[in-house]
Amino acid sequence: MDLIRIIFAIILPPVGVFLQVGLGLQFWINILLTLFGYIPGIIHAIWIIAKR
């Protein structure tokens, strides 16, 4: 399942975070990071997925 989340994190970072934590604070932080730049959103999403 983590592989699917990581694939989603690379394609659409907020979706990968949503699948991991739902609509929590990390999801909204990831949306902001993705809006500021695609790469920071990917890094944050993969970090959240790998952390849990």
Side-chain angles (χ1 to χ4, degrees):
M1 188 67 182
D2 281 344
L3 181 63
I4 294 170
R5 289 182 189 130
I6 290 175
I7 291 170
F8 274 120
I10 293 170
I11 297 170
L12 277 171
V15 174
V17 174
F18 174 76
L19 291 174
Q20 184 71 29
V21 297
L23 287 174
L25 177 65
Q26 296 299 325
F27 173 75
W28 297 108
I29 290 173
N30 189 267
I31 285 182
L32 285 175
L33 287 172
T34 303
L35 289 175
F36 287 139
Y38 188 66
I39 300 299
I42 292 173
I43 293 170
H44 180 257
I46 291 175
W47 180 68
I48 292 297
I49 293 168
K51 183 176 134 183
R52 296 184 181 195

